[in-house]
Amino acid sequence: MARPKILVVGAGFGGVGCIRRLERRLRPDEADIALVTPFSYQLYLPLLPQVASGVLTPQSIAVSLRRSGRFRTPIIPGGAVGVDTKAKVCVIRKITGEIVNERYDHIVLAPGSVTRTFAIPGLADNARGMKTLAEAAFVRDHVIAQLDLADASQDEAERASRLQFVVVGGGYAGTETAACLQRLTSDAVKRYPRLDPKLIKWHLIDIAPKLMPELGDKLGLSALKILRDRGIEVSLGVSIDKAAPEEVTFTDGRVLPCRTLIWTAGVVASPLIATLEAETVRGRLAVDTRMTLPGVDGVFALGDAAAVPDLSQDADGGALCPPTAQHAMRQGRVVADNVIATLRGEPLRPYRHKDLGLVVDLGGRDAVSKPLGIELRGMLAQAVARGYHWSALRTNVAKTRVLTNWMLNAVAGEDFVRTGFLSRTPAALRDFEYTDSYLTPDEIRQHTGTLTARQG
């Protein structure tokens, strides 16, 4: 008799945490496991702004799965583009473009999220995200290129537009991105004697009335003061009305000459979730407290893609676990235990958690942190933030690389080298996050119908 097949989709915090738990707790003859991911690494997302600013090298936060302990699960190199829950088949687009069908008995959906966008004219073509390793590398190259081009230009209008930078999104990603890249340009401009440092302007805007409201009023105001003291113009209650290649129009009517628009205004669940044609909450798959999909056999979901009830609050009132790495890692382990319990005919357990707090690294000696509800600022907050991130990296190789990069940056300062990555290609959000790769429900049924006919 064939062993049950467990298919895990996504190599983020939740997916990798699930795989590692399954490998440790399942007997070799109990089930077959496979992982679907286009890249054979786990990306440590919270440190992407430090890659964009050059503090860390890209490979420092791309934690190789094949070097991660005793990782032995086969990897299918591609992305899941559809799921037929009736046929129990996942449709996968390999990195070659070939579309294949993968049967499963139990599927764990941890595909993560993509950048949330709105129907703002010009946004999709002129904004850059901060969600993937490639985007961080591209943004770094692009920002340094603006300094090079401004330095070489004799046109004052062109120079002004190249030296203004806009980051949209006052959450963790946007705040840390603006803070880290502002440090990069303020250090880099010292190497450009023809450029006036006063011409370099960073703008952080958000439609919300507060910066990082999850931190609370006091720490949020502390972070706001740090940014403004550095010269970053923070505008709250404001968003983008229109984006063009050389200017950005704000909703308050301001028109800013600008060739760098970085969009970090939230995330939405992977488009894969829509292919299941199941109930969603705020775009995330509506699962129960055990992270199973009600009424559908063999489907588990977690992380950014799942609306997991938050039992630490009023779950009956609709409270959901926020889409953070902290939750995804823990949910991955609970889902693994529940998959094993399903195989063994044992009861499943709900997901409960205790919040460990939040950390925000603003670069240099600046940070605000709230571990276990304790508010910290300055160097102590920085030590807590970096200590947390360092300890969360899965391999000793990754920890060594990150620590070495931090020490080198502290001693030698920034470097301002462009790699030439996509230097002649106006890359858009969809080019990095492959949001146009997913199949429609009819296309999925066409693929899985063919598979079912062959099996029959």
Side-chain angles (χ1 to χ4, degrees), residues 136-434:
F138 177 86
V139 165
R140 173 175 167 75
D141 265 22
H142 174 80
V143 168
I144 297 174
Q146 300 316 299
L147 299 180
D148 289 343
L149 291 165
D151 184 61
S153 176
Q154 303 300 319
D155 186 321
E156 292 301 322
E158 177 191 355
R159 181 175 288 187
S161 70
R162 293 195 182 280
L163 295 180
Q164 296 220 63
F165 306 89
V166 175
V167 179
V168 183
Y172 303 109
T175 302
E176 290 186 333
T177 295
C180 290
L181 286 173
Q182 185 272 338
R183 278 184 56 85
L184 170 68
T185 56
S186 65
D187 288 343
V189 74
K190 299 171 186 175
R191 310 288 181 173
Y192 296 83
R194 295 175 53 193
L195 292 182
D196 182 354
K198 295 179 181 179
L199 292 178
I200 300 178
K201 298 185 182 299
W202 281 88
H203 301 261
L204 175 62
I205 70 172
D206 195 288
I207 196 65
K210 296 179 181 180
L211 193 70
M212 294 183 293
E214 300 89 343
L215 283 173
D217 289 343
K218 291 183 179 179
L219 282 185
L221 288 173
S222 294
L224 182 61
K225 184 178 186 303
I226 290 170
L227 297 181
R228 285 178 170 164
D229 286 348
R230 286 195 195 170
I232 299 174
E233 184 174 323
V234 181
S235 301
L236 300 174
V238 178
S239 190
I240 296 295
D241 186 60
K242 182 170 57 176
E246 297 182 12
E247 68 177 27
V248 174
T249 303
F250 292 175
T251 53
D252 62 6
R254 282 180 290 167
V255 179
L256 194 72
C258 168
R259 305 195 189 203
T260 305
L261 174 60
I262 302 173
W263 182 267
T264 66
V267 296
V268 294
S270 165
L272 175 67
I273 297 306
T275 71
L276 275 75
E277 297 184 293
E279 182 184 353
T280 59
V281 179
R282 304 174 202 169
R284 298 155 68 185
L285 201 60
V287 297
D288 58 25
T289 58
R290 303 170 303 173
M291 290 171 287
T292 63
L293 185 59
V296 182
D297 182 50
V299 177
F300 297 79
L302 65 145
D304 294 3
V308 181
D310 189 349
L311 296 181
S312 70
Q313 300 185 48
D314 180 14
D316 293 335
L320 302 175
C321 295
T324 63
Q326 186 181 139
H327 280 288
M329 286 188 285
R330 297 169 173 179
Q331 289 170 1
R333 294 192 290 267
V334 175
V335 164
D337 290 342
N338 284 343
V339 170
I340 295 170
T342 301
L343 292 173
R344 297 174 181 173
E346 299 170 352
L348 280 60
R349 66 184 178 99
Y351 172 69
R352 287 187 174 87
H353 73 96
K354 181 179 180 182
D355 192 10
L356 295 179
L358 304 165
V359 295
V360 182
D361 189 336
L362 299 174
R365 299 180 178 182
D366 295 325
V368 290
S369 299
K370 196 175 182 180
L372 301 175
I374 303 170
E375 296 185 351
L376 302 174
R377 300 166 180 79
M379 287 292 289
L380 183 56
Q382 179 70 280
V384 170
R386 293 201 170 183
Y388 173 80
H389 291 316
W390 184 82
S391 64
L393 293 166
R394 288 194 177 274
T395 68
N396 290 329
V397 171
K399 289 180 178 181
T400 302
R401 283 178 174 156
V402 166
L403 186 59
T404 301
N405 281 189
W406 280 338
M407 293 173 63
L408 181 61
N409 180 261
V411 172
E414 316 283 353
D415 76 76
F416 318 112
V417 176
R418 283 189 291 121
T419 64
F421 180 62
L422 293 178
S423 59
R424 301 184 66 181
T425 304
L429 288 170
R430 60 180 173 272
D431 299 319
F432 289 107
E433 300 186 34
Y434 309 108

Side-chain angles (χ1 to χ4, degrees), residues 87-101:
K88 285 197 166 184
V89 171
C90 180
V91 184
I92 300 167
R93 190 189 302 274
K94 288 187 173 182
I95 57 175
T96 59
E98 175 190 6
I99 294 180
V100 298
N101 298 322

